[in-house]
Amino acid sequence: MTDAAGALKQAMTVIEGAIGAALVDYNSGMALATLDGPGGFDLNVAAAGNTDVVRAKMRTMDMLGLGDGIEDILITLSSQYHLIRPLTGRSGKGLFLYLALDKGRANLAMARHQLTKIEADLEV
């Protein structure tokens, strides 16, 4: 099992093209842990903004009566991928992993695969 800081460090070192990672509480919008790399954007601002994305999607799914869970949310920019992965374990309820990737260096399929593995080992 890995703690939050260890999980973010693993994401930044194992996932090719990672430029920032955070563990976020989507009830409060607060980043519980952050780790940035080359790119230097404010991960606390990203955490708060992406909290709105997660809340909106969950609210929409509820209004539609979808009894499914969110595996991940992908936002593509011209030069970056942003992955949002709500945690599914009991101890991670109300949390999500956020990962920003350099689109030119990242392999999206591998990044999603690695983030799934990191989530499985995360203990919060």
Side-chain angles (χ1 to χ4, degrees):
M1 289 296 166
T2 308
D3 66 358
L8 298 183
K9 184 176 181 182
Q10 184 178 4
M12 293 295 292
T13 56
V14 171
I15 300 175
E16 183 67 31
I19 56 175
L23 177 64
V24 183
D25 178 342
Y26 64 76
N27 293 307
S28 68
M30 300 287 295
L32 304 177
T34 62
L35 187 60
D36 64 349
F41 58 91
D42 190 335
L43 288 167
N44 291 306
V45 171
N50 285 303
T51 293
D52 292 338
V53 172
V54 172
R55 287 179 187 163
K57 187 58 187 174
M58 288 185 168
R59 189 172 47 251
T60 302
M61 289 175 55
D62 188 47
M63 290 187 311
L64 292 171
L66 300 176
D68 213 350
I70 298 171
E71 190 171 302
D72 57 39
I73 298 169
L74 170 65
I75 300 168
T76 59
L77 306 177
S78 59
S79 64
Q80 296 176 357
Y81 294 123
H82 292 226
L83 278 172
I84 300 168
R85 184 169 187 85
L87 301 187
T88 56
R90 267 197 321 218
S91 67
K93 195 87 169 146
L95 304 177
F96 67 86
L97 285 168
Y98 167 72
L99 180 66
L101 301 159
D102 178 324
K103 198 172 185 178
R105 296 184 312 129
N107 177 320
L108 185 56
M110 285 303 296
R112 290 183 68 222
H113 176 72
Q114 291 294 332
L115 199 57
T116 302
K117 289 172 56 176
I118 290 167
E119 178 199 0
D121 289 339
L122 179 61
E123 181 69 38
V124 272

